[in-house]
Amino acid sequence: MPEMLSVNSRTRLCCVFGDPVDHSLSPQMHNAVYKKLGLNARYLAFRVKPEDLRAALEGCRVMNVRGINLTIPHKYDVLPFLDEIDEEARLIGAVNTVLIEKGKTIGYNTDGRGYVRSLNDRYPNFRFKNQKVVIAGAGGAARGICVACANKGAHVTIINRTAEKARKLAASLNRVFKGRFQSANLDDREAFANADLFINTTSVGMKAPRDSIIRINFFEKRSIIVSDIVYTPRETKLLKDAKKRALKTLEGWGMLAHQGVLAHDIWFAEKAPANVMIRALLKNLGR
Ligand code: ATR
């Protein structure tokens, strides 16, 4: 096992801002990578209250912190405070990764691409192009994944408990992606029948572990991949039901690991080994 380099005056700092933040597994994930690569860097978690976000960001900028991740509740509120925003993050309307370069703060969003990478890690032959993707949920997580799927050429149907939110999200994304999005009701069997990929982005399965957002027999294609971005528990009711029907499944932790890998790649010249981040995450997640 390589030793972690000791801290000195050239140590680079990265961090996550959240409120609360003590549940974050990012410090373990990123520090494991620094250790593996022998990078002179450290990653810390800071509890930053919403009203202090601007000051905390400015503090990092003047102290030349290298990178910041943002989690609840800062992903949206940070936008007006940044010097530049990457096009994808602007489209998603949220930032989870900030690079500080030559005194400038630049915002990115690696969540959606993190999902795509985690899927292709497990199912390398799945091509998004012209595939039918059904996404449950119309919150921030859904929006990031919607953009990543559309960027890859998929056709996306959004379903949500509050149907109006799904309709609005689809309409707003269609302004950019020209008809790739539609919305449907949760009980619209036809929307599910030909799906190639299903993604649950709602908190159902975490907050209510005995519930699933949909009835698994709605899916008709045997080749469908059923995925959940909930990672506590690792195997949600949705995934259990899918396995019982011998459908392909994808657990939620991969998205968390890969958004971290992509954040690292934005901050440092040397690419993060995904397997190191995944191992650190799973070790700390437990079963
Ligand atoms: P995030 O930014 O993490 O996506 P969010 O904006 O709070 O979180 O979105 C949560 C999503 O989970 C929403 O789509 C929400 O549905 P509503 O728009 O109808 O509120 C969905 N959700 C949460 N609890 C749910 C439940 N018990 N049943 C169905 N959908 C639920």
Coordinates of all heavy atoms in Angstrom, one line a residue, residues 1 5 38 49 64 87 112 116 121 141 162 179 184 228 235 265:
M1 N 0.8 -1.2 0.0 CA 0.0 0.0 0.0 C 0.9 1.3 0.0 O 1.7 1.4 0.9 CB -0.8 0.0 1.3 CG -2.3 0.2 1.3 SD -3.2 0.3 -0.2 CE -4.7 1.0 0.5
L5 N 1.3 11.0 1.1 CA 2.4 12.1 1.2 C 2.0 12.9 2.4 O 0.9 13.3 2.6 CB 2.5 12.9 0.0 CG 3.1 12.3 -1.3 CD1 3.2 13.3 -2.4 CD2 4.5 11.7 -1.0
G38 N 0.0 9.1 -5.2 CA 1.1 9.8 -4.6 C 1.0 11.3 -4.9 O 2.0 12.0 -5.0
K49 N -23.1 26.9 5.8 CA -24.6 27.3 5.8 C -24.9 28.0 4.5 O -24.1 28.7 3.9 CB -24.8 28.2 7.0 CG -24.7 27.5 8.3 CD -25.2 28.3 9.4 CE -24.5 28.1 10.7 NZ -24.0 29.3 11.4
N64 N -6.5 29.9 -3.1 CA -6.1 29.0 -4.1 C -6.4 27.5 -3.8 O -5.5 26.6 -4.1 CB -4.6 29.2 -4.4 CG -4.2 28.8 -5.8 OD1 -5.1 28.8 -6.7 ND2 -3.0 28.5 -6.0
E87 N -21.0 24.7 -20.2 CA -22.3 24.7 -20.9 C -23.3 23.6 -20.4 O -24.5 23.8 -20.2 CB -22.0 24.4 -22.4 CG -23.2 24.7 -23.3 CD -22.9 24.3 -24.7 OE1 -21.8 24.5 -25.2 OE2 -23.9 23.8 -25.3
G112 N -24.6 13.7 -14.2 CA -25.3 13.0 -15.3 C -24.2 12.1 -16.0 O -24.5 11.0 -16.3
V116 N -23.9 8.0 -16.7 CA -23.6 7.3 -17.9 C -22.4 6.4 -17.8 O -22.4 5.3 -18.3 CB -23.4 8.4 -19.1 CG1 -22.8 7.8 -20.3 CG2 -24.8 9.0 -19.4
D121 N -19.7 1.2 -17.5 CA -18.8 0.4 -16.8 C -19.3 -1.0 -16.6 O -18.6 -2.0 -16.8 CB -18.6 1.0 -15.4 CG -17.2 1.1 -14.9 OD1 -16.3 1.1 -15.8 OD2 -16.9 1.2 -13.7
A141 N -31.6 15.8 -9.7 CA -30.9 14.6 -10.1 C -31.4 14.1 -11.5 O -30.6 13.7 -12.4 CB -31.1 13.5 -9.1
T162 N -45.8 14.1 -9.4 CA -46.5 15.3 -9.8 C -46.3 15.5 -11.3 O -45.2 15.9 -11.8 CB -45.9 16.5 -9.0 OG1 -45.8 16.2 -7.7 CG2 -46.7 17.8 -9.2
G179 N -37.4 17.8 -29.2 CA -38.4 16.7 -29.3 C -37.8 15.4 -28.8 O -38.5 14.4 -29.0
A184 N -45.0 11.3 -19.2 CA -46.1 10.4 -19.1 C -46.5 10.3 -17.6 O -45.7 10.7 -16.8 CB -45.7 9.0 -19.7
D228 N -31.2 2.3 -10.4 CA -31.7 3.1 -9.3 C -30.5 4.0 -8.9 O -29.4 3.5 -8.8 CB -32.1 2.3 -8.1 CG -33.1 2.9 -7.3 OD1 -33.0 4.2 -7.1 OD2 -34.0 2.2 -6.8
E235 N -29.2 -2.4 -2.6 CA -30.2 -3.0 -3.5 C -31.6 -2.6 -3.0 O -32.1 -3.1 -2.0 CB -30.0 -4.5 -3.4 CG -30.8 -5.2 -4.5 CD -30.5 -6.7 -4.5 OE1 -31.1 -7.5 -3.7 OE2 -29.7 -7.1 -5.4
D265 N -10.7 14.5 -12.5 CA -10.1 14.7 -13.8 C -10.2 16.2 -14.2 O -9.3 16.7 -15.0 CB -10.8 13.9 -14.9 CG -10.6 12.4 -14.7 OD1 -9.7 12.0 -13.8 OD2 -11.2 11.5 -15.3

